[in-house]
Amino acid sequence: MNSERERAYHHGDLRRVILDAALDVIATNGPGALSLRDLARRAGVSHAAPAHHFKDRTGLLTAVAAEGYALFADALAGAPDLRERGVAYVRFAATHPAHFQVMFQPDLHRTDDPDLLAARARATEALRAGVADLPPAGRGEDDRLAGVAAWSLAHGFATLLLSGNLSDAMEGRDPEAAFRSLAGLIFTPEGRAGD
């Protein structure tokens, strides 16, 4: 196995190998458990090799966040409306839990990284487009606050889902279907619930 990993390194794939190993560690033990030395051991390379690609732990976490935002923007891009963008948000969190953990913890990465900024801007634009597509009655007086409401709902649901705090409330329901129902309580095609 180490010889396969060493061949991957010599073929220029070490960056991907290290990122994948980091994602495994984060998904299993959280970002606090991440160590470049451990990742080098897992990849079968010298302890200095990951630093060549990422400089340090923060650089690696920045790469994880940038990749996460790029994947997230792609996931949101295909959603036809705000509710489905929320479903895509929840689906992304469930299928990319390690990225999700790192993306929303700015103290873990370099927030001024150009790749991160570009990917986050794409994701933000996709989320804002969903709010802009709501009829005026559905947005209220302030588009930005409507965006915060939508983001809070999707992010809160995704976070509670990943942490296992919804297991009793879900009672075996499909998370995406449950989110659609929940979002329908707040954002409806005609306007806000209760209008």
Side-chain angles (χ1 to χ4, degrees):
M1 182 94 156
N2 279 351
S3 63
E4 286 178 32
R5 287 183 177 160
E6 286 170 9
R7 279 197 306 273
Y9 169 68
H10 292 296
H11 291 292
D13 294 336
L14 180 61
R15 185 177 196 282
R16 182 76 257 160
V17 168
I18 297 296
L19 274 171
D20 288 343
L23 292 169
D24 288 343
V25 169
I26 295 166
T28 305
N29 300 312
L34 203 61
S35 153
L36 290 184
R37 188 174 291 272
D38 176 56
L39 294 175
R41 183 188 54 74
R42 288 171 181 251
V45 296
S46 76
H47 71 273
H52 173 73
H53 291 278
F54 302 105
K55 187 176 178 184
D56 55 20
R57 184 176 182 275
T58 302
L60 174 60
L61 289 167
T62 301
V64 168
E67 179 177 80
Y69 273 111
L71 292 168
F72 185 47
D74 292 344
L76 295 171
D81 58 28
L82 183 62
R83 185 180 301 181
E84 291 306 308
R85 278 182 177 89
V87 170
Y89 197 113
V90 170
R91 184 181 308 123
F92 173 83
T95 57
H96 299 281
H99 287 105
F100 189 78
Q101 285 183 61
V102 174
M103 290 162 52
F104 298 102
Q105 292 188 54
D107 58 316
L108 294 179
H109 45 78
R110 293 185 180 96
T111 57
D112 61 347
D113 179 79
D115 292 337
L116 176 62
L117 290 171
R120 187 171 33 204
R122 281 184 49 228
T124 300
E125 182 54 36
L127 290 170
R128 286 185 180 153
V131 172
D133 289 344
L134 284 175
R139 290 192 302 257
E141 296 176 13
D142 187 336
D143 287 0
R144 291 189 73 102
L145 285 180
V148 169
W151 183 26
S152 297
L153 181 64
H155 191 82
F157 186 89
T159 301
L160 291 169
L161 181 69
L162 288 180
S163 63
N165 285 300
L166 292 180
S167 53
D168 289 343
M170 294 294 289
E171 297 176 340
R173 290 184 195 128
D174 173 61
E176 293 178 23
F179 181 82
R180 278 187 189 96
S181 296
L182 184 61
L185 297 173
I186 297 174
F187 295 102
T188 64
E190 299 80 30
R192 288 171 301 190
D195 282 355

